């Protein structure tokens, strides 16, 4: 890659990271209220918790770093499940970090601390610090995911565990299909262009395993699983399309194409 291409890629990463931070500062509360507080993320948390318990001695005083914790899932349930663990929950968004602390306090969990951190640059943490590093549905959104993997490997102790959950390919992810269809119906042919930073890129386990190997992880493997998420359509629309919704930034971009009735039209075309 030429120097100008490196510079352009670095600018892309910085811009996407800043946009992601702004997005989660805006929408982390709705995510917490609609998904986490109703237990809809619990099946995914169980996958992460079981992996940590299987690999580490849950009776030992292990240290766990949770990346992209959002509002505290799986960090807080992990702290509950392993009382002897010391869990450091991190997120790019300060708003999310505040929610993690509130969540832990509301559950009476005292072995979870929260602080801001960019998983792509973990300068706050020394090498060989943690027995396990976890990341639930966060890695796929990191523009420099290879750097994030390298940083996770760096802060892990020798023989430590890295466990991450990522989305399946779009054809197997109904929520993603729904809102891709919403965008298509509203924008027509003006949908977003293809991007190398798509969150679906890890739907291919071969690619993920190659990236893990590139970050010097050994004994890596991928396991596919699914779990249902069912809640009222009105809540789904609010979660994705409300003032602080997950898809609000997409709708803002589409509005710039001249579709002024974007926010009124979007809920009506939900499949």
């Amino acid at each position: 890659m030429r120097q100008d291409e490196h510079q352009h890629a670095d600018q892309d990463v910085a811009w996407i990271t800043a946009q992601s931070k702004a997005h989660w500062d805006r929408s982390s509360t709705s995510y917490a209220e609609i998904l986490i507080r109703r237990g809809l993320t619990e099946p995914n948390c169980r996958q992460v918790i079981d992996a940590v318990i299987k690999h580490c001695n849950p009776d030992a005083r292990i240290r766990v770093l949770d990346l992209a914790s959002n509002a505290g899932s799986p960090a807080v349930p992990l702290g509950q499940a392993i009382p002897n663990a010391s869990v450091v929950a991190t997120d790019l968004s300060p708003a999310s970090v505040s929610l993690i602390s509130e969540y832990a306090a509301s559950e009476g969990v005292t072995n979870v601390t929260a602080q801001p951190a960019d998983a792509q640059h973990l300068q706050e943490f020394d090498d060989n610090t943690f027995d396990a590093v976890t990341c639930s549905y966060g890695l796929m959104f990191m523009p420099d995911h290879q750097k994030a993997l390298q940083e996770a490997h760096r802060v892990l102790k020798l023989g430590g565990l890295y466990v991450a959950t990522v989305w399946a390919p779009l054809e197997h992810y109904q929520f993603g299909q729904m809102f891709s269809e919403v965008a298509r119906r509203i924008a027509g042919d003006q949908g977003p262009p293809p991007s190398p930073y798509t969150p679906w890129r890890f739907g291919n386990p071969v690619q993920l395993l190659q990236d893990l190997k590139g970050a010097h992880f050994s004994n890596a493997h991928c396991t596919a699983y699914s779990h249902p998420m069912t809640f009222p359509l009105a809540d789904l629309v609010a979660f994705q399309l409300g003032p602080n919704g997950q898809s609000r930034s997409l709708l803002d971009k589409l509005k710039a194409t001249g579709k002024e009735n974007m926010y009124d039209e979007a809920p009506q075309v939900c499949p």
Side-chain angles (χ1 to χ4, degrees):
M1 184 180 290
R2 300 194 313 267
Q3 183 176 357
D4 59 336
E5 291 175 330
H6 273 294
Q7 184 177 8
H8 182 68
D10 289 344
Q11 290 173 344
D12 283 349
V13 167
W15 184 84
I16 293 171
T17 300
Q19 291 294 309
S20 179
K21 177 181 177 296
H23 169 76
W24 287 111
D25 278 342
R26 183 177 66 246
S27 63
S28 56
T29 297
S30 64
Y31 182 90
E33 291 176 350
I34 295 176
L35 290 182
I36 295 178
R37 303 296 184 261
R38 298 187 184 188
L40 295 175
T41 60
E42 185 175 341
N44 180 64
C45 288
R46 194 71 254 170
Q47 297 285 328
V48 175
I49 292 168
D50 288 348
V52 174
I53 291 176
K54 181 178 179 180
H55 184 85
C56 303
N57 179 1
D59 295 324
R61 296 191 177 280
I62 63 172
R63 296 196 68 195
V64 180
L65 175 65
D66 188 42
L67 303 171
S69 300
N70 196 268
S73 175
V76 174
L78 184 61
Q80 289 175 311
I82 312 178
N84 287 332
S86 174
V87 181
V88 181
T90 64
D91 199 272
L92 186 66
S93 161
S96 295
V97 171
S98 296
L99 289 173
I100 297 168
S101 298
E102 293 173 10
Y103 183 17
S106 71
E107 296 292 325
V109 177
T110 59
N111 61 336
V112 175
T113 59
Q115 67 182 82
D118 180 352
Q120 302 163 125
H121 303 283
L122 295 174
Q123 62 266 24
E124 301 90 346
F125 305 108
D126 294 332
D127 297 1
N128 308 312
T129 299
F130 296 96
D131 299 281
V133 174
T134 59
C135 186
S136 177
Y137 295 141
L139 177 66
M140 59 201 181
F141 291 114
M142 298 173 191
D144 195 348
H145 65 276
Q146 195 64 44
K147 178 64 174 176
L149 290 172
Q150 292 168 357
E151 282 290 86
H153 186 273
R154 178 183 65 79
V155 301
L156 272 173
K157 295 178 182 178
L158 182 64
L161 171 73
Y162 177 73
V163 54
T165 56
V166 296
W167 285 346
L170 180 58
E171 59 266 25
H172 300 303
Y173 185 66
Q174 292 179 333
F175 278 7
Q177 293 174 32
M178 177 183 295
F179 291 100
S180 293
E181 179 64 11
V182 169
R184 188 193 66 78
R185 292 191 193 183
I186 294 173
D189 293 331
Q190 301 179 56
S195 168
Y197 304 111
T198 170
W200 316 110
R201 63 185 182 273
F202 288 141
N204 177 358
V206 174
Q207 179 63 56
L208 180 54
L209 289 171
Q210 287 177 346
D211 290 338
L212 287 165
K213 183 178 180 180
H216 307 295
F217 284 100
S218 59
N219 302 319
H221 67 275
C222 295
T223 302
Y225 76 97
S226 63
H227 62 85
M229 297 179 69
T230 304
F231 49 97
L233 178 60
D235 288 344
L236 176 61
V237 170
F239 172 56
Q240 289 286 352
L241 306 175
N244 297 315
Q246 298 280 294
S247 298
R248 192 69 175 196
S249 59
L250 170 62
L251 297 184
D252 287 342
K253 292 177 183 178
L254 296 180
K255 182 181 178 181
T257 67
K259 295 183 174 291
E260 293 297 327
N261 63 338
M262 182 69 58
Y263 306 113
D264 294 330
E265 185 179 351
Q268 306 303 318
V269 298
C270 280

